[in-house]
């Protein structure tokens, strides 16, 4: 579920956080997740319109900077904190990261529409499923270069990308839907 939390009024006393331009974003990412680390590196290499800072979720630094956050949640899904105190989670966090990038801001605007939000949510669910398998020791992270297999016929191999192999009909009782 994606959430955007407004800043605590006490934390932004004397300024209206809704009217404050975003001058920087801090991305809290799971440093023990290879996908998260890869995406952190990718984001860091992109030309940025809004500076992105990266802090390991659940770290002492993250707890010190953002004591009001539930840090167990930041380890479960990407969390981005704006410099005015905005908190973005899940698909909204990915969209705001893309919004910060020069070459991907138009995509962020498309993903912020109702139909684009469904696509962003689907991407987040796929990443969450991959991470769950990684933590369980199955799927593509169980060994270097191994493939991720899903029961619906989609296969991800790091060497060749996504491919679709429709489920077979070996039993003779295949659905004709």
């Amino acid at each position: 579920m994606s959430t955007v939390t407004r800043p605590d009024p006490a934390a932004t006393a004397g300024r209206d956080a809704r009217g404050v331009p975003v001058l920087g974003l801090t991305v809290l990412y799971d440093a023990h997740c290879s996908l998260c680390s890869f995406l952190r590196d990718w984001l860091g290499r992109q030309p940025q319109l809004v500076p992105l800072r990266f802090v390991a979720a659940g770290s002492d630094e993250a707890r010190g900077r953002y004591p009001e956050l539930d840090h167990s949640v930041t380890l479960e899904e990407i969390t981005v904190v704006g410099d005015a105190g905005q908190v973005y989670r899940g698909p909204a966090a990915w969209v705001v990261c893309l919004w910060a990038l020069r070459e991907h801001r138009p995509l962020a605007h498309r993903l912020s529409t109702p139909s684009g939000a469904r696509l962003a949510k689907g991407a987040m669910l796929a990443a969450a499923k991959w991470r769950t398998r990684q933590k369980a020791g199955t799927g593509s992270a169980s060994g270097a270069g191994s493939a991720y297999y899903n029961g619906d016929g989609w296969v991800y191999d790091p060497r060749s990308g996504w491919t679709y192999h429709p489920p077979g009909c070996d039993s003779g009782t295949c659905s004709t839907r």
Side-chain angles (χ1 to χ4, degrees), residues 99-110:
W99 174 83
L101 304 177
R102 183 179 68 213
E103 295 172 13
H104 298 282
R105 188 167 277 188
L107 174 60
H109 287 291
R110 287 193 299 275

Side-chain angles (χ1 to χ4, degrees), residues 127-151:
K129 187 172 188 174
W130 187 90
R131 288 185 72 219
T132 300
R133 288 188 181 215
Q134 177 187 29
K135 287 180 181 180
T138 61
S140 62
S142 62
S146 62
Y148 161 79
Y149 297 93
N150 194 357

Side-chain angles (χ1 to χ4, degrees), residues 137-162:
T138 61
S140 62
S142 62
S146 62
Y148 161 79
Y149 297 93
N150 194 357
D152 63 1
W154 284 99
V155 176
Y156 178 77
D157 186 314
R159 295 175 300 264
S160 59
W162 286 98

Side-chain angles (χ1 to χ4, degrees), residues 105-120:
R105 188 167 277 188
L107 174 60
H109 287 291
R110 287 193 299 275
L111 291 175
S112 68
T113 66
S115 60
R118 286 192 295 276
L119 180 63

Side-chain angles (χ1 to χ4, degrees), residues 52-70:
L52 295 173
R53 293 175 295 281
F54 303 96
V55 175
S59 67
D60 290 341
E61 181 181 359
R63 290 176 193 284
R65 282 182 183 225
Y66 309 108
E68 70 284 356
L69 289 180
D70 179 345

Side-chain angles (χ1 to χ4, degrees), residues 6 19-21 26 33 47-48 59 62 79 119 128 150 152 161 166-167 174:
R6 283 304 191 198
V20 174
T26 300
C33 167
Q48 300 171 6
S59 67
T79 302
L119 180 63
N150 194 357
D152 63 1
C174 298

